[in-house]
Every structure is written in C-alpha cells, then in structure tokens.
Amino acid sequence: MSWFLLFIAGLLEVAWAAGLKTSEGFTRLWPSVFTIVTSTGSFVLLAFAMKELPLGTAYAVWTGIGAVGAFIFGIVMMGEAVTVARIASVSLIVIGMVGLKLSSGH
C-alpha cells in the first residue's frame, strides 16, 4: 500500500508543478488554489508512505515521479523541446527509480 500511496503522491506532485506554472507566480486565483490543494495532498501521501518506506527511497522516488511527470507534461501540454539529450537524461531518472524500488525490500 505504501508504494501505491507514493505513486499517487508523485502524480500529485506533477499536478502541483503544472499548477505552479499556470498560476503565474500565484497571481491567478484558481491555478493557485489548485497548486496549494494538490501540493498538500502530495505531501500528506508522501508522509503516509514514509511510515513504511525508507526516507531516501521514498523521497527519491517521489521527486523522480514528479520530475519525469513534469517533463512529460511539459512536452505534451506545453510544447517543450524533445531532444535526445533530454530523453536520455530523464531515462536515467527512471532507471534510478526502478533500481531503488527493486533494492528497497518492500
């Protein structure tokens, strides 16, 4: 269950990162509210996941899901550049997350 909570927390991290971008520095009300709600949910679920998962593993996977998800969101929804170097770099993040999951013992 802790891995599921961590995964949802990571998805919420993607959501609040996207909201943060669209809030334009918290100058737009509804994107700002969305950002605050999703970031709170992300932190709460991360905290629950950390009850069972090691700190380093949980935090690295959480930020990894957020980073990879924001990367994909930026490409798909915001027209950000797709380059070999960017794809290779984000692939290393994914490999690291898989390695942490496989070596966590949970």
Side-chain angles (χ1 to χ4, degrees), residues 35-87:
T35 300
I36 293 165
V37 169
T38 53
S39 64
T40 301
S42 182
F43 287 123
V44 167
L45 291 178
L46 174 63
F48 281 121
M50 283 184 168
K51 285 181 168 183
E52 294 183 21
L53 298 175
L55 166 68
T57 299
Y59 188 75
V61 171
W62 177 69
T63 58
I65 293 169
V68 172
F71 172 81
I72 293 168
F73 183 87
I75 289 171
V76 173
M77 301 303 293
M78 301 187 146
E80 293 179 0
V82 179
T83 66
V84 172
R86 291 184 82 211
I87 297 295

